[in-house]
Amino acid sequence: MLWGAILAQPAVGQTPPKRLRTLTVRGQGVEEIAATLSQINLGVEVQGKIAQEVQLKAARRSQALVKLLQSQQVEKLTTSGISLNPVYSFKDNIRRLTGYSATNTVSFQIATEKAGEILDKAVKSGATRIDGIRFIAPEAMISEAKKQALKEATQDAREQADAVLASLGLSSKEIVGIEVDNARAQVPPIFRGESAFAQARTADAPRTPIIGGEQKVEATVTLQISY
């Protein structure tokens, strides 16, 4: 037992292993790409005295709206909401049922340059709600932007490391660790619209202007570099 313990001791004069010196830096990359698509939410809202009649009227208007959107070849057309709710009035602290409100909404994508025209046509066909527009970039553009953002983040990290080490009279040796925070596109805000009840357009009214923006794609890369 004693002999084994003696063997475990380092030899006299043996140099302890040299500690690896490392520098950890985090680089960031940002790409801005044109948001050429519009994600639109709109629908119909109908009010009346009898629930069944209100729901039936909303369904008919929704059917006409969907038919129009399909004829315009919009993309990713989906139902985003269906509701039927009672409407009450309050007088003398007494709540009275006065009718019902039915709402059917859809969501779809279309080129931003065509968004104003499709909104005007939708209102003309029966849409009474424009619940919001979100400007986004096509998936192919986002994918390419992610790759570029990762390259920029990596280069940023290397440049930071070189600057720090140079200021200390040191030089980098090799990269001993890499951590990648997946590049991601920022979720663009939704621009809320008003109810179309008060926005009926006359035949000579100007087309609704829709102007898109840009979408940011960000990436973070962390490097651990020995020196």
Side-chain angles (χ1 to χ4, degrees):
M1 186 70 178
L2 181 59
W3 179 69
I6 292 174
L7 286 181
Q9 299 298 318
V12 177
Q14 180 179 348
T15 303
K18 189 175 181 179
R19 180 175 175 271
L20 182 65
R21 300 186 305 177
T22 61
L23 172 67
T24 301
V25 289
R26 175 178 294 178
Q28 292 186 322
V30 179
E31 281 288 294
E32 293 186 352
I33 51 180
T36 58
L37 294 177
S38 292
Q39 178 80 39
I40 300 176
N41 296 293
L42 56 77
V44 300
E45 182 175 353
V46 177
Q47 296 183 358
K49 297 291 186 179
I50 302 174
Q52 185 177 0
E53 292 180 357
V54 170
Q55 181 61 31
L56 181 59
K57 191 174 183 179
R60 287 173 177 169
R61 288 190 180 181
S62 297
Q63 190 175 44
L65 175 61
V66 168
K67 186 176 181 180
L68 167 71
L69 295 175
Q70 289 174 334
S71 71
Q72 299 297 307
Q73 298 180 335
V74 302
E75 298 181 354
K76 298 185 178 181
L77 177 61
T78 58
T79 297
S80 55
I82 297 178
S83 66
L84 176 64
N85 298 301
V87 177
Y88 297 96
S89 66
F90 292 86
K91 186 176 181 180
D92 299 328
N93 294 324
I94 299 175
R95 186 177 73 167
R96 293 182 175 85
L97 177 66
T98 59
Y100 296 87
S101 175
T103 303
N104 292 358
T105 56
V106 294
S107 173
F108 62 92
Q109 289 182 10
I110 193 170
T112 299
E113 61 186 15
K114 299 179 180 179
E117 179 182 0
I118 197 68
L119 286 176
D120 293 338
K121 289 181 177 180
V123 172
K124 188 175 180 180
S125 73
T128 57
R129 296 179 62 94
I130 300 175
D131 292 338
I133 300 176
R134 174 179 282 140
F135 301 113
I136 58 178
E139 288 297 329
M141 292 179 63
I142 292 176
S143 179
E144 288 301 315
K146 286 180 179 179
K147 295 176 184 177
Q148 186 60 33
L150 285 170
K151 291 180 181 179
E152 293 175 4
T154 303
Q155 183 64 29
D156 181 41
R158 287 301 303 264
E159 290 176 355
Q160 289 185 58
D162 291 342
V164 171
L165 294 174
S167 67
L168 298 173
L170 302 170
S171 59
S172 61
K173 292 182 179 179
E174 61 178 344
I175 298 174
V176 296
I178 302 174
E179 182 179 340
V180 177
D181 184 357
N182 290 332
R184 57 186 177 274
Q186 287 188 350
V187 178
I190 295 179
F191 297 93
R192 300 292 180 184
E194 299 179 4
S195 171
F197 281 121
Q199 297 183 14
R201 299 176 66 249
T202 60
D204 59 348
R207 179 177 300 173
T208 301
I210 302 295
I211 303 173
E214 293 183 331
Q215 188 172 8
K216 287 185 177 180
V217 178
E218 301 176 327
T220 301
V221 174
T222 301
L223 301 180
Q224 189 174 24
I225 303 174
S226 65
Y227 61 92

